Amino acid sequence: MEKYSDNPLDTKRRILEAAGKIFAARGFQGTTVRDICSEADVNIAAVSYHFRDKKNLYFDTLKYWQAAAFQKYPHIRETDASLPPEDRLRAFVFQFVSRMLNDGNASWFGKLMAKEVIEPTEALDIVVEEAVRPSFEILRSIVTELIGNVSDERTIRLCCASIIGQSLYFFYSQPVIAKLFSGNTPGFTEPELIADHVARFSVNAIKAFAIQMKGDTP
Amino acid sequence: MEKYSDNPLDTKRRILEAAGKIFAARGFQGTTVRDICSEADVNIAAVSYHFRDKKNLYFDTLKYWQAAAFQKYPHIRETDASLPPEDRLRAFVFQFVSRMLNDGNASWFGKLMAKEVIEPTEALDIVVEEAVRPSFEILRSIVTELIGNVSDERTIRLCCASIIGQSLYFFYSQPVIAKLFSGNTPGFTEPELIADHVARFSVNAIKAFAIQMKGDTP
DNA sequence: TCATAATTAAAACAATTGATTTAAACATAT
DNA sequence: ATATGTTTAAATCAATTGTTTTAATTATGA
């Protein structure tokens, strides 16, 4: 048969790569370790040996691809704080959407995350604490600056949710949108165009909020 | 053991009820026919007898609960066209969110739909054509009226997507939001409050759009 | 070179699952 | 009431799946 891998780490990594692809496509339940091992071109026993069991492999896969996604599309930097909040919001949405929509491997984290949100397992904690919360805190600071100091915590949170919700929709619903518009979907797939729209839409909304609230509490 | 059902239709319906609950909770792959039959308190063979196989049962379950959800929360009526578009948008979002968030059985359709969107099967067609498209058309007419006749089709679609995206987020992300805010989530679970926020946020955004576009094409 | 540990291959196991089979229980009509 | 077709019960099948076992292969170090 085949020769052993040149690098002992190679087998482990090949499994993680294959697992990302297949878990992302079919979910935890829909994936068999045989599928993964076949895709990775390794023996079935390698999963038990390197990862103990399927569930642990799933955890490690999630962490592996989360790291990959955030390495390619890191959180927007603190130094960007000099920019006006409108620009920072657009940059945030762009990073957020790119991290998931990015063609190829990096998008596997987004798909894994989506499945985890819709049908949570014990791994939801990882997703929330290491991906959702950091993003949310950054967004919160942008929205807070944008809306001014006239607003309460609840309003800020709702506005953040509105922005995240829009951003996610363009990712989640790709198959639905394709069917709905018969594939004619200009502006629904390119991260730049999505970011432009979501940022503009949301800035408009929040600025009007700010004006309305200033009127409420003169 | 138990006596037979009083009504011969009872068995079939009991299976559909149980299937809705369990498919919604665990997805197609994560559900076993034994689980469903146990929950429905019927014999395993009843599934083959009444629904041919598991896949067909899943289809019928989807249709059954879709009908139930739309019976309880129908599309907003044409007669509402007399209302201003702001009010109609709020009513739309309220119906849309209630249809999914509604506690108890009716929410099963929303959960089934969410899973179908994230991990599509052959049943995605049913979801898009019978649930998504009709809703989208209604929303489109509201947004068109709201934004005025100065806008192009693409902008209208993007605004519709922003509204649907927000609405869905408050449903999809209940588990994430609960973790993120440690269960302290006022305004994130009640359909009325969600509808208030989403409608206000979106009306603000769209009206500003309308003004900006009027400036673009004088 | 040889011994020891690490890694992989191949086969097998035990449990689960979708589906079927066979016989019994039921309802309905004549 | 009896016959006929319908529905359910219980057992069984065949295939799949996660995991383990055993043996072979490779790398490493004295």
Side-chain angles (χ1 to χ4, degrees), chain A residues 115-146:
Chain A
K115 290 185 199 311
E116 193 63 37
V117 167
I118 296 300
E119 199 172 320
T121 73
E122 295 100 335
L124 183 61
D125 275 319
I126 299 174
V127 170
V128 170
E129 294 308 323
E130 302 197 20
V132 176
R133 192 182 298 282
S135 290
F136 195 88
E137 290 305 325
I138 291 169
L139 178 58
R140 221 182 74 87
S141 78
I142 297 173
V143 168
T144 303
E145 188 175 342
L146 209 50

Side-chain angles (χ1 to χ4, degrees), chain A residues 85-218:
Chain A
E86 291 85 352
D87 292 347
R88 280 161 60 210
L89 180 59
R90 193 204 167 279
F92 173 88
V93 175
F94 178 71
Q95 288 288 85
F96 190 86
V97 172
S98 298
R99 201 178 288 138
M100 293 180 306
L101 269 184
N102 170 54
D103 55 313
N105 305 358
S107 76
W108 292 340
F109 172 64
K111 295 195 178 114
L112 293 170
M113 204 176 97
K115 290 185 199 311
E116 193 63 37
V117 167
I118 296 300
E119 199 172 320
T121 73
E122 295 100 335
L124 183 61
D125 275 319
I126 299 174
V127 170
V128 170
E129 294 308 323
E130 302 197 20
V132 176
R133 192 182 298 282
S135 290
F136 195 88
E137 290 305 325
I138 291 169
L139 178 58
R140 221 182 74 87
S141 78
I142 297 173
V143 168
T144 303
E145 188 175 342
L146 209 50
I147 204 169
N149 55 356
V150 292
S151 187
D152 59 325
E153 176 67 16
R154 187 173 154 270
T155 302
I156 290 171
R157 284 182 176 180
L158 286 170
C159 287
C160 289
S162 285
I163 294 166
I164 299 281
Q166 290 176 74
S167 306
L168 285 177
Y169 182 73
F170 287 90
F171 167 68
Y172 281 172
S173 309
Q174 292 283 339
V176 171
I177 288 174
K179 269 192 197 295
L180 194 59
F181 299 144
S182 308
N184 175 29
T185 56
F188 280 78
T189 51
E190 307 90 334
E192 293 86 358
L193 297 181
I194 294 172
D196 281 338
H197 167 75
V198 171
R200 198 171 150 211
F201 189 95
S202 303
V203 166
N204 284 348
I206 293 172
K207 283 192 170 169
F209 259 144
I211 292 170
Q212 289 163 6
M213 302 204 75
K214 211 170 283 178
D216 288 349
T217 58

